[in-house]
Amino acid sequence: MKLVRIALGAVAGAAAGFAAGVMLAPRSGAESRAMASDAVNDAWDSAIDTYERGTQAVNEKINGLRPDVDSATDELRTKVDLARERMDQLRDSLTNAVDEAAEDEAAADADEAVEIVTDEAPEAEETEDEAEPEAEEAEAEETADEE
């Protein structure tokens, strides 16, 4: 950017010096105007040529970088696709783990319920065993009372 400013300053200085020289030159007005016109036209043509060369150089640089950018973009897309696939796998794995944990928890709850019922069942059998002799005694007493 600084180099461009220096070049523009040099061109402007040269133009000002040229204009001062033409104006102070010992020629007629028509000759001086014709020379000035030719100089401006030459400068304009030179500026257009410089612009076209610069544009062409920039386009060549861009076209030279395009394959690298395209390959980097393709590589990045591939990595993103792989990352998405991995995320899908992890999501499926996590879903399966949560489902299995829920099943294990349900199975543990069911086992606990079975243990509770099993623990209470012997107590109920004991109560029935204790109740049988009492029932037999009551029957015996009823039979004795009836006789």
Side-chain angles (χ1 to χ4, degrees):
M1 191 69 178
K2 193 173 186 180
L3 185 60
V4 172
R5 289 183 182 173
I6 291 172
L8 288 176
V11 169
F18 179 75
V22 168
M23 296 299 173
L24 299 175
R27 292 192 179 91
S28 68
E31 284 180 19
S32 295
R33 284 189 297 275
M35 284 180 58
S37 176
D38 288 340
V40 169
N41 287 337
D42 289 342
W44 183 256
D45 291 340
S46 175
I48 289 174
D49 289 342
T50 303
Y51 171 78
E52 288 174 355
R53 281 194 308 270
T55 302
Q56 184 178 5
V58 169
N59 285 334
E60 287 174 2
K61 291 281 186 183
I62 289 173
N63 290 335
L65 291 175
R66 187 159 296 175
D68 293 338
V69 171
D70 289 344
S71 91
T73 302
D74 291 342
E75 184 178 329
L76 183 60
R77 283 185 182 144
T78 303
K79 288 181 180 180
V80 167
D81 289 342
L82 289 173
R84 285 183 180 153
E85 287 177 16
R86 182 69 179 138
M87 286 175 51
D88 289 342
Q89 291 172 353
L90 290 173
R91 185 182 314 115
D92 292 343
S93 171
L94 183 60
T95 301
N96 291 340
V98 168
D99 290 344
E100 288 175 9
E103 289 173 5
D104 291 345
E105 187 176 326
D109 290 345
D111 288 343
E112 188 177 318
V114 168
E115 285 179 24
I116 291 171
V117 170
T118 306
D119 290 344
E120 291 177 1
E123 292 174 8
E125 288 177 8
E126 289 174 8
T127 307
E128 288 177 12
D129 291 342
E130 292 172 2
E132 281 182 24
E134 291 175 7
E136 289 175 6
E137 288 176 16
E139 274 182 37
E141 286 178 13
E142 284 180 19
T143 308
D145 287 339
E146 289 177 8
E147 292 177 2

